[in-house]
Amino acid sequence: MDIFLIIYEFVIAILIFGALFVAGKLIFKKLKDSKSKVLNPLEYFPEEEVQTLRQVFYLVMMLIFFVFILYIIVVPGNDFMGVAVVQLLVSLYIAFTLDYSSWKNRVLFFLLIPYESIALIAFNESIVLLPIYAIHVLVYAYLIKVYYGKFRHYTETNSLGITIILLFSIIFVSFIVTCFAENVDPLNSLVMVSNAFTSNGYAILGNTGIGKLTAIFLVWGGYTISGVGTATLTVAILSRHYKKRENELNKRLDELESLIKNNK
């Protein structure tokens, strides 16, 4: 590939990422300033469920970074549009959450830019440069370490259990085994493991990268919502039961108080 074309695509990738970053920041700030309930997870889930989902979020982010590393090492230079879109969205999210008061995070911002993914989306061709791949492998390995630290800190601070690690370990090991046993790429392996774990299916749903990502989203979204619905219904039934018992107890205490006063 011509060196001037590579430089041109690099510059365009930086401009596109910067524009998306600024637009995303402005939208987030507007939603936050409007005190919208959209960004408050407690509007959708019970507090206990939010704590569990935050634990899951940290673990899922670690898995996503590991999948990115696999794609870089095992299948570099391939045109995986679905993975490119996810890599761009995840990179933007990380960029949103960085604290830019330190030079380390300012440098990390530029190292995060998924040049090859933006080139694939914008120009329908991949930038295959080993130094960029090596940098991204190191960045994603560093982010795995960061999110593991966040998971441990959040779990210990909120006195939560670590049973979720067992579930995550089962999925992670199954994901790795499926990659090699079925000779499929990481995205197909993730689809197969998701289907097997949540619905006893084992097929690859979707013919395109975007279709497969949508299938994964629907599978895990439905699994999460069903669990939340069950937990919410249980909480509602128990709350109503104990509220009724509390009212009966208060009524009985009022009667006893009245009897004591009359005896006096």
Side-chain angles (χ1 to χ4, degrees), residues 2-15:
D2 185 72
I3 184 65
F4 294 104
L5 180 59
I6 293 177
I7 294 174
Y8 169 75
E9 291 184 353
F10 263 76
V11 172
I12 294 298
I14 293 173
L15 293 176

Side-chain angles (χ1 to χ4, degrees), residues 34-52:
S34 66
K35 297 180 180 180
S36 174
K37 295 182 179 180
V38 175
L39 300 178
N40 184 9
L42 293 175
E43 294 292 330
Y44 312 102
F45 310 112
E47 183 177 356
E48 294 77 10
E49 189 70 23
V50 170
Q51 291 179 336
T52 301

